[in-house]
Amino acid sequence: MDKNDKHKIKSQKLKEKVDANVEKATIERGIVLVITGNGKGKSTAGFGTVARAVGHGYKAAVVQFIKGTWDCGERNLLETHGVPFAVMGTGFTWNTQDRDSDISAAKAVWEQAKSFLQDPKYHLVLLDELTYMLGYDYLPKDDVIEAIQNRPENQSVVITGRGAVSELRSIADTVSEIKDIKHAFRAGIKARQGVDW
Ligand code: ATP
Ligand code: MG
């Protein structure tokens, strides 16, 4: 048997396997997708999913639990497509040292997140950097988990951020971990507009 025949048999077998799995997937409902890990690309992937939803004419909403920079390319674009953004008010960033004010900012934006999670008109809700709110105990875990689980059946939720706690992983349908292999920043290259925000 030559290389081409071998390849043909191998891909035929693979196709049968994939087709069988596709047939098995019959459930229609929204999912919870967690994108975690230390590598770059979590928020980018979350916003990519929002772009997909909007591109198909669905409604999507974005909640940003950490404001990295005041300027946000995705927000500039998506707001013009009717995507509402809820952003942590007093500006929780890596620099704040005031736990109490961070907690009240977290709670305020969480109330907005909850209203999106109760509204069936949203096909997709992005909870960007939510993981830290649970990691630091800024928001009550039970309340967050319950709101996500009780969302409308056809709504999907994307959660990003490093160190997703086990409770988030267990309610998720899909969990991806982005691995940090190397990052330009560590070679002294400045974060770039239009690439990093
Ligand atoms: P992005 O928003 O680019 O998709 P991210 O959401 O995966 O990144 P965050 O942990 O939210 O990563 O980090 C926010 C900022 O830190 C971004 O500007 C990102 O480029 C940068 N960053 C992400 N990963 C790393 C890393 N491993 N080392 C240094 N900087 C990083
Ligand atoms: Mg991010």
Side-chain angles (χ1 to χ4, degrees):
M1 202 186 297
D2 72 6
K3 230 178 163 178
N4 282 338
D5 289 336
K6 270 194 192 155
H7 176 79
K8 207 173 166 188
I9 291 173
K10 221 174 145 185
S11 36
Q12 228 159 17
K13 277 197 180 142
L14 182 65
K15 186 181 176 337
E16 280 163 23
K17 223 170 139 181
V18 172
D19 285 350
N21 285 336
V22 168
E23 228 163 274
K24 264 194 263 169
T26 54
I27 305 164
E28 293 256 15
R29 63 163 174 82
I31 62 156
V32 176
L33 165 57
V34 170
I35 305 166
T36 189
N38 294 332
K40 172 177 166 62
K42 300 174 290 295
S43 296
T44 317
F47 281 110
T49 316
V50 173
R52 276 189 181 165
V54 172
H56 285 292
Y58 294 115
K59 287 209 172 301
V62 175
V63 186
Q64 291 181 297
F65 285 93
I66 289 178
K67 210 184 307 184
T69 142
W70 293 100
D71 195 12
C72 173
E74 297 94 327
R75 184 174 183 181
N76 297 343
L77 176 73
L78 292 166
E79 278 186 340
T80 68
H81 289 268
V83 176
F85 271 63
V87 180
M88 198 170 279
T90 59
F92 176 95
T93 71
W94 304 112
N95 304 324
T96 51
Q97 258 124 52
D98 186 342
R99 192 178 147 84
D100 285 342
S101 81
D102 285 347
I103 290 177
S104 43
K107 287 195 165 142
V109 80
W110 171 242
E111 287 307 310
Q112 290 181 274
K114 268 208 282 205
S115 74
F116 295 139
L117 292 168
Q118 287 163 0
D119 191 339
K121 81 167 176 267
Y122 292 110
H123 181 77
L124 184 78
V125 179
L126 169 60
L127 304 174
D128 190 36
E129 321 295 354
L130 173 71
T131 57
Y132 305 102
M133 302 301 109
L134 301 185
Y136 295 150
D137 276 328
Y138 280 12
L139 293 174
K141 246 178 241 168
D142 295 349
D143 192 22
V144 171
I145 298 296
E146 195 185 292
I148 295 169
Q149 283 190 306
N150 292 338
R151 73 192 188 284
E153 197 185 341
N154 290 315
Q155 186 182 86
S156 293
V157 177
V158 183
I159 296 159
T160 75
R162 297 174 194 212
V165 295
S166 61
E167 290 89 340
L168 278 178
R169 291 169 193 242
S170 61
I171 61 156
D173 300 287
T174 300
V175 181
S176 292
E177 199 162 74
I178 298 193
K179 191 175 167 188
D180 180 34
I181 307 291
K182 66 197 296 200
H183 194 288
F185 180 68
R186 292 201 292 283
I189 302 167
K190 263 179 133 171
R192 290 184 68 76
Q193 185 180 47
V195 176
D196 292 299
W197 75 86

